[in-house]
Amino acid sequence: MITVLLADDHALVRKGFQLMLDAQPDMRVVGQAADGAEAVALCERLRPDVVLMDLHMPGLDGVRATERITVESPGVRVLALSTFDLDENVVAALRAGAVGFLPKDVSPEELVEGVRVVHRGESAVAPRLLTRLIGTFVRAARPRRRAAPTKLDGLTERERETLVLIARGRSNAEIAEELDVSPSTVKNHVTSLFAKIGVRDRAQAVIVAYEAALITPGE
């Protein structure tokens, strides 16, 4: 059973999400928060598997709440929600530790699948949407740092190639085809490079690739 916490300042939105998720045989909503501070407190008490986190809430917003939750409740996975597809707060939430992003007008099927995806430990951001988000906001939000490439010094050439392809929105299957290796080999490369550059999912890996200037928007 996947336990879910809903964090949104609109009661009707929370109720709608609850109806969608509780209708699933493998999901249960265990709590609801009307602001970021309440979400942080409930995560510490309830330890849900997944938090659906609205980024735009009064008081402690979704970005700062995500940052606190990933530090204080590290087993909890945050799936960020925003009304705006290209919202700079989405990138801030990914930096803060969110493992995915969905627009708030997502279909019930996409919402349910997104929860399952992040619960499995994967990113719920569609790869090409992710590259569009990163390409639009990361460089504007934070200047390129010459120190960033030192995080990549320990990568093998094949791991570096894999990181570039991840940043271009390729799935593991597409990377395997492009590099002419097996999917299991790609999975091993991904696991190794994530450990070496200190990230836990594809979203954060894409940010590292852009900030290290391995890839530029539109490439």
Side-chain angles (χ1 to χ4, degrees):
M1 184 69 66
I2 304 171
T3 56
V4 182
L5 175 71
L6 306 177
D8 195 292
D9 57 327
H10 293 95
L12 285 177
V13 172
R14 297 198 305 272
K15 183 62 175 178
F17 286 159
Q18 181 181 15
L19 291 173
M20 293 181 204
L21 300 178
D22 280 346
Q24 306 305 310
D26 59 339
M27 295 182 190
R28 179 166 59 94
V29 174
V30 295
Q32 299 186 29
D35 57 46
E38 188 177 9
V40 173
L42 286 177
C43 278
E44 185 173 358
R45 179 163 63 88
L46 300 174
R47 297 291 174 170
D49 297 312
V50 177
V51 180
L52 290 183
M53 179 72 73
D54 180 26
L55 297 184
H56 302 276
M57 293 186 290
L60 188 72
D61 64 24
V63 173
R64 290 183 293 162
T66 296
E67 188 171 26
R68 286 187 54 184
I69 288 169
T70 55
V71 171
E72 298 171 17
S73 303
V76 177
R77 302 182 68 80
V78 178
L79 178 55
L81 301 172
S82 176
T83 305
F84 309 102
D85 283 356
L86 287 178
D87 181 351
E88 59 187 358
N89 284 325
V90 173
V91 172
L94 294 175
R95 282 204 185 100
V99 294
F101 158 73
L102 293 175
K104 289 185 74 172
D105 61 355
V106 68
S107 71
E109 295 79 13
E110 290 171 319
L111 177 71
V112 168
E113 182 59 21
V115 172
R116 292 190 178 115
V117 166
V118 300
H119 181 252
R120 292 198 300 264
E122 303 170 13
S123 172
V125 184
R128 285 160 183 81
L129 174 60
L130 177 60
T131 56
R132 183 159 59 95
L133 283 166
I134 302 300
T136 302
F137 290 109
V138 167
R139 293 196 305 161
R142 183 184 295 177
R144 284 184 186 169
R145 300 164 300 168
R146 296 314 302 170
T150 61
K151 299 177 67 175
L152 310 180
D153 286 348
L155 298 183
T156 65
E157 186 61 31
R158 185 47 59 92
E159 288 168 349
R160 187 181 290 261
E161 291 173 344
T162 301
L163 178 57
V164 169
L165 291 173
I166 288 173
R168 288 176 177 161
R170 305 293 199 273
S171 67
N172 280 5
E174 290 170 331
I175 293 173
E177 182 176 357
E178 189 154 342
L179 297 182
D180 194 24
V181 297
S182 69
S184 61
T185 297
V186 172
K187 185 176 181 180
N188 290 338
H189 288 326
V190 171
T191 299
S192 177
L193 75 89
F194 279 12
K196 289 179 180 179
I197 64 178
V199 303
R200 67 181 189 181
D201 54 49
R202 297 175 89 90
Q204 294 182 344
V206 173
I207 291 174
V208 169
Y210 271 95
E211 293 186 331
L214 288 184
I215 188 170
T216 57
E219 189 174 336

